[in-house]
Amino acid sequence: MTAVKRRVNDVKKLTSTKFLNLYELDMVSENGKHSPYYVSSRAKSTKQLKLKTRKNNADGVIIYSLYGEALDRVVLIRQYRCPLDDYIYEFPAGLVDEGETFKEAGIRELKEETGLDFTPADAPEMYCKPFFTTIGMTDESCGTIYGYASGTVSKAGQEENEEIEIVLADKAEVRRILKEENVAIMCAYMLMHFLQAEPGHAFDFLKI
């Protein structure tokens, strides 16, 4: 691969909050023109930005899990999100705490958000590794874990400020959700895949 010419001349941290911060980049074009570019990040300092570390460590995790004896339902959450002032369907997900892997975080988050236990499926690294979310505005990346959920749904582990409904959706409900509801794009693509898979075989694509 051809080496990339670095075009970020300087970085300034503009905010200091717990979960998300805004940074101003001094961008230099090929003809030498300077212009500001604004990036949100989970990084707590400029040194932790991915453009500085050159490492793609997962900030968060997404959990794609099947439910039921026939593995014919998918575990979703319907969550209130402030940027929309509305509800949106998503996979259970969350941030990776310091000292844990994104796979450990996924098991924890599924339990906290839904009350369900998680049994991981074998999956190649190419399907699990961290991928970037909305790269035009953030350097956030998320890993994905795949597996099987069991137990009884519960809201007992949810945080006080979370408004989350737990949905165990079969194909008919998934079709309705995609047609009628707000859906996070990463979840939507996986749900399209879920619709095309034979019952109980949604994870066959992991076998490469």
Side-chain angles (χ1 to χ4, degrees):
M1 296 179 62
T2 305
V4 177
K5 182 179 179 181
R6 308 305 181 198
R7 296 185 182 175
V8 177
N9 182 59
D10 192 25
V11 182
K12 293 180 181 178
K13 186 180 181 186
L14 301 182
T15 62
S16 185
T17 65
K18 184 176 181 180
F19 295 112
L20 190 66
N21 284 294
L22 183 65
Y23 294 84
E24 181 180 324
L25 313 183
D26 176 28
M27 292 289 297
V28 184
S29 67
E30 289 184 338
N31 62 10
K33 181 180 179 180
H34 289 251
S35 59
Y37 193 98
Y38 297 93
V39 175
S40 60
S41 178
R42 302 290 185 185
K44 293 179 171 57
S45 70
T46 57
K47 291 181 180 179
Q48 294 176 332
L49 289 168
K50 291 185 174 69
L51 65 86
K52 292 288 189 179
T53 66
R54 303 294 168 183
K55 295 179 180 178
N56 183 14
N57 295 322
D59 301 288
V61 61
I62 300 166
I63 306 107
Y64 181 4
S65 58
L66 304 177
Y67 185 86
E69 289 187 10
L71 303 178
D72 58 351
R73 286 180 282 174
V74 60
V75 181
L76 303 175
I77 58 172
R78 180 177 179 265
Q79 182 169 197
Y80 174 82
R81 291 295 195 178
C82 290
L84 299 179
D85 192 23
D86 202 351
Y87 287 84
I88 186 169
Y89 284 80
E90 306 171 70
F91 280 135
L95 297 179
V96 179
D97 287 343
E98 187 175 351
E100 68 179 354
T101 67
F102 72 81
K103 294 178 182 179
E104 293 169 338
I107 295 170
R108 173 182 56 75
E109 286 287 351
L110 186 71
K111 188 67 174 180
E112 291 175 358
E113 291 189 352
T114 71
L116 298 173
D117 297 313
F118 184 80
T119 301
D122 290 331
E125 187 65 21
M126 63 181 284
Y127 292 127
C128 299
K129 73 174 190 176
F131 291 105
F132 294 98
T133 55
T134 311
I135 197 59
M137 61 181 291
T138 179
D139 68 351
E140 182 188 60
S141 65
C142 291
T144 305
I145 60 172
Y146 308 83
Y148 310 99
S150 61
T152 304
V153 297
S154 170
K155 293 186 176 183
Q158 294 179 10
E159 296 181 8
E160 185 177 353
N161 63 345
E162 290 181 319
E163 294 184 34
I164 298 175
E165 298 174 13
I166 304 146
V167 180
L168 305 176
D170 60 13
K171 285 191 174 185
E173 179 62 2
V174 166
R175 287 190 182 92
R176 187 199 69 78
I177 290 168
L178 288 173
K179 289 179 181 179
E180 301 176 10
E181 304 287 353
N182 295 323
V183 186
I185 191 168
M186 292 174 287
C187 177
Y189 286 143
M190 288 295 194
L191 291 181
M192 294 173 198
H193 166 267
F194 174 77
L195 287 178
Q196 297 303 313
E198 293 295 325
H201 293 275
F203 289 158
D204 281 3
F205 74 99
L206 297 175
K207 302 171 185 177
I208 59 170

